[in-house]
Amino acid sequence: MVQLKDIHEKLLESIQTMLIDTKVNLPYYGNFNLFVSFVKSKSVPTCGVNMTTKGMNFYWNPDFLDKMSQKEANFIVLHEDFHLLWNHPKRTITGQYEPRLSNIAQDMIINHIIWEDLPDTFVEIPKDENGKNMALFIPKEYTGKLIFEEVYEWLRDKRDEHNKKQSKNDKCQTCQGTGQGQGQPQEGQGQGQPQEGQGQGQPQEGQGQGQPQDCKCPDCKGTGNQGGKDSQGNPSYGPYGKNPKNDGSIDTWSLDQIFDNMDSNDGQYLDVHMGDEVPEEMRESMVKDAMDRLQARGLQGGNVEQTLNKLRKKRKDYLKYIKRSVSNLIFGTKKTPTIVKPNRRQIAGLKGVRKIKTKINCILDTSGSMGGTFERVLAYIYRNDIEVNLIEADTQVKWVQNLKSRKQIASLPIKGLGGTALQPAVNYVEEHFNQFNTLVLTDGYCDTLDLSKLKGNVLLISIGTRVPLGKTNGKVKQIQVDLDDK
């Protein structure tokens, strides 16, 4: 474990309190910080964390922490801990999300969890020099789950709406949206005119040139918006955040202001988001090792486990979910009268019905990394005695076979395909098997599919990415299996 030396006194106080104060009851996070190297850095304006081959690192600026109260410093320590504990960096890269908007989504969720789960006797929201909250919070109008991907996509849609609404009329007319003042020369300063005894009239040191100076516009106070307000005419800072401790609100920056500032601050407010210097697998291994040790010591109490479940994406039982979807959506049945089975009303003499399972279509793409999931899905289908029209195709249909039993799966001529174009297989189903429901198993890296002419239900199961869709028949369901959660 890392020895705590040459560390800012407020960081040390925070860690010691978490370790020994039973009223605070946060020994898990206190001990987690013993796995972290604390590095003093003037080049980092606030605080930030990353992972290197030497382990987990917490960079801190003494000038920044000197201005913080102890409770504000406690908030920052937990904020950085949660960045290390969270498995979002890999999800950001895997989902090819924009880093700046990802920073905003991550901070909103982390700050929301801190304020919801940690006692306000220990943490306080850090303030800037103007007394405004530095931390971003989940907007009040957001009604989705506290999941990174969902928050990110919601913010992306809101930003698109914001960009469409932007117009010249939204900008401050004084500075034309720059936020900069006019920089008029002060009394006694030159304006670039030739002076007696001077060459071409170059201003002397300390004299102005009549050019804009580095100062804020007096009308918009540097925001670039009309009267210091956002594009909707509302104050750029106010009760826009969702307060997780009650039904009220919490002061934070408006979404319009956040989006306007993205180019200048990269979506970073409370801290600096730093890149890791190790592969994602190594990063996750380091964090997991620390978590396993703390759990083995009995430090992961109920309050910590509840918070960690919010921070770290739970492993999802996809196979169970897929089986349920296949059974409900794809397995077709026919009902035939039978004297063997009584009717459901239990009336003597009346015949009941027996369900006879029918065929389904299965379009199989074996070009990608399937990780064994598709084989398990196929085995499940055969266990239920479903007759399958199995179709393989690349740029054209290569192989079609009717499978009636589980034994036939062992003899399937499944081979890796050169390219992946599934539309020919969809067209084949439309022409030959359109009376049956269709299951598509793919890695998702394929052409855009037109499913509008299929008559039955369609279930798409993909690994890696979602299947691109054009037109559909309105009876399509898609399941994307996250390889990290299998």
Side-chain angles (χ1 to χ4, degrees):
M1 290 190 180
V2 177
Q3 298 296 319
L4 296 176
K5 59 182 180 179
D6 298 328
I7 184 174
H8 195 282
E9 58 183 7
K10 290 177 182 175
L11 299 179
L12 183 60
E13 174 67 21
S14 178
I15 295 170
Q16 289 178 337
T17 302
M18 288 190 282
L19 284 170
I20 64 177
D21 193 330
T22 56
K23 293 181 180 179
V24 173
N25 192 28
L26 298 174
Y28 182 94
Y29 303 113
N31 279 274
F32 178 79
N33 280 287
L34 300 181
F35 291 90
V36 180
S37 295
F38 287 82
V39 183
K40 180 179 177 180
S41 176
K42 287 277 191 175
S43 63
V44 176
T46 52
C47 293
V49 292
N50 78 345
M51 307 280 277
T52 66
T53 54
K54 295 181 179 180
M56 298 181 282
N57 305 287
F58 185 125
Y59 303 92
W60 54 275
N61 186 306
D63 297 332
F64 173 69
L65 290 176
D66 285 343
K67 301 174 184 177
M68 299 287 105
S69 70
Q70 184 58 55
K71 291 172 66 175
E72 289 176 328
N74 296 341
F75 190 105
I76 292 169
V77 170
L78 287 166
H79 182 97
E80 303 306 333
D81 285 347
F82 286 5
H83 272 306
L84 291 170
L85 285 165
W86 221 351
N87 58 357
H88 278 186
K90 185 172 183 178
R91 289 156 67 180
T92 300
I93 295 171
T94 303
Q96 298 182 340
Y97 297 131
E98 182 186 343
R100 297 183 305 173
L101 202 59
S102 296
N103 292 343
I104 293 170
Q106 291 174 16
D107 278 353
M108 284 180 171
I109 295 174
I110 284 178
N111 295 332
H112 182 98
I113 293 173
I114 291 175
W115 201 239
E116 181 177 39
D117 288 2
L118 280 298
D120 52 15
T121 55
F122 182 68
V123 294
E124 180 180 316
I125 302 171
K127 304 287 193 300
D128 62 18
E129 57 186 9
N130 297 314
K132 291 182 171 60
N133 290 334
M134 298 178 66
L136 299 180
F137 286 88
I138 297 292
K140 288 191 299 185
E141 60 266 39
Y142 178 75
T143 58
K145 297 180 181 178
L146 211 65
I147 298 175
F148 167 68
E149 288 81 2
E150 293 190 20
V151 174
Y152 174 92
E153 291 172 6
W154 184 85
L155 287 172
R156 182 190 57 196
D157 293 341
K158 289 296 181 180
R159 186 187 60 180
D160 291 343
E161 294 176 10
H162 167 80
N163 291 340
K164 290 179 181 179
K165 291 184 296 185
Q166 288 286 71
S167 68
K168 187 175 180 180
N169 293 332
D170 297 329
K171 298 178 180 178
C172 173
Q173 299 303 305
T174 302
C175 66
Q176 294 300 308
T178 65
Q180 298 297 313
Q182 296 300 309
Q184 295 299 323
Q186 301 297 315
E187 185 177 354
Q189 292 181 328
Q191 299 187 29
Q193 298 300 323
Q195 304 295 320
E196 184 177 354
Q198 297 176 350
Q200 297 300 313
Q202 296 299 323
Q204 299 297 309
E205 184 177 355
Q207 293 180 329
Q209 299 185 38
Q211 299 300 320
Q213 304 297 308
D214 185 18
C215 60
K216 294 181 180 179
C217 170
D219 289 339
C220 69
K221 309 301 181 185
T223 65
N225 298 318
Q226 283 278 27
K229 297 183 179 181
D230 64 18
S231 59
Q232 301 301 304
N234 300 314
S236 57
Y237 176 87
Y240 298 116
K242 183 181 297 185
N243 193 335
K245 293 187 176 180
N246 53 53
D247 295 331
S249 60
I250 195 167
D251 286 344
T252 188
W253 296 101
S254 69
L255 284 178
D256 278 339
Q257 190 64 41
I258 291 171
F259 298 145
D260 285 337
N261 289 343
M262 282 180 62
D263 289 335
S264 60
N265 66 7
D266 289 330
Q268 299 176 144
Y269 284 79
L270 181 60
D271 64 341
V272 176
H273 290 220
M274 309 172 70
D276 294 320
E277 299 178 9
V278 296
E280 289 301 328
E281 293 77 10
M282 184 179 294
R283 179 195 194 281
E284 185 62 20
S285 177
M286 290 180 184
V287 175
K288 188 175 185 302
D289 177 65
M291 295 179 66
D292 288 346
R293 293 190 188 188
L294 297 177
Q295 186 176 17
R297 293 170 56 189
L299 295 173
Q300 188 171 315
N303 61 329
V304 173
E305 185 175 3
Q306 179 183 7
T307 300
L308 291 178
N309 286 339
K310 297 177 184 178
L311 284 171
R312 299 181 64 82
K313 192 174 181 181
K314 295 180 181 179
R315 297 178 67 86
K316 186 172 182 178
D317 188 351
Y318 280 102
L319 189 60
K320 181 178 180 181
Y321 178 47
I322 289 171
K323 287 178 180 179
R324 185 167 62 247
S325 299
V326 170
S327 296
N328 295 339
L329 192 69
I330 299 300
F331 285 175
T333 58
K334 291 181 179 179
K335 296 180 179 180
T336 58
T338 174
I339 194 65
V340 177
K341 187 175 182 180
N343 64 84
R344 63 177 183 171
R345 295 186 179 181
Q346 303 296 317
I347 300 177
L350 294 182
K351 293 182 179 181
V353 294
R354 171 177 291 174
K355 294 182 179 180
I356 306 298
K357 294 179 179 177
T358 60
K359 292 183 181 180
I360 68 168
N361 306 315
C362 180
I363 298 175
L364 179 62
D365 160 28
T366 59
S367 64
S369 173
M370 307 310 177
T373 298
F374 290 173
E375 289 81 355
R376 295 168 72 184
V377 172
L378 290 173
Y380 172 70
I381 292 173
Y382 299 134
R383 279 202 302 271
N384 287 269
D385 299 323
I386 299 296
E387 198 170 328
V388 180
N389 298 316
L390 189 63
I391 303 157
E392 283 191 32
D394 46 22
T395 56
Q396 57 184 342
V397 174
K398 293 292 186 181
W399 183 80
V400 179
Q401 183 171 338
N402 180 256
L403 303 176
K404 297 182 179 180
S405 68
R406 185 181 180 184
K407 294 180 180 179
Q408 292 177 277
I409 189 174
S411 59
L412 291 179
I414 299 177
K415 299 179 180 179
L417 307 177
T420 304
L422 297 182
Q423 190 60 46
V426 173
N427 296 340
Y428 188 91
V429 167
E430 175 200 336
E431 295 174 6
H432 298 88
F433 308 124
N434 211 4
Q435 68 270 37
F436 306 121
N437 296 329
T438 302
L439 173 67
V440 180
L441 305 177
T442 176
D443 61 1
Y445 297 99
C446 61
D447 50 333
T448 301
L449 300 184
D450 180 354
L451 306 175
S452 59
K453 295 182 180 180
L454 296 183
K455 295 181 179 179
N457 296 328
V458 181
L459 176 62
L460 304 164
I461 302 176
S462 64
I463 291 179
T465 187
R466 292 179 67 84
V467 178
L469 297 178
K471 298 178 181 178
T472 71
N473 62 2
K475 296 182 287 185
V476 177
K477 180 176 182 178
Q478 183 163 184
I479 300 174
Q480 178 188 339
V481 177
D482 189 336
L483 287 173
D484 295 331
D485 294 337
K486 291 199 299 104

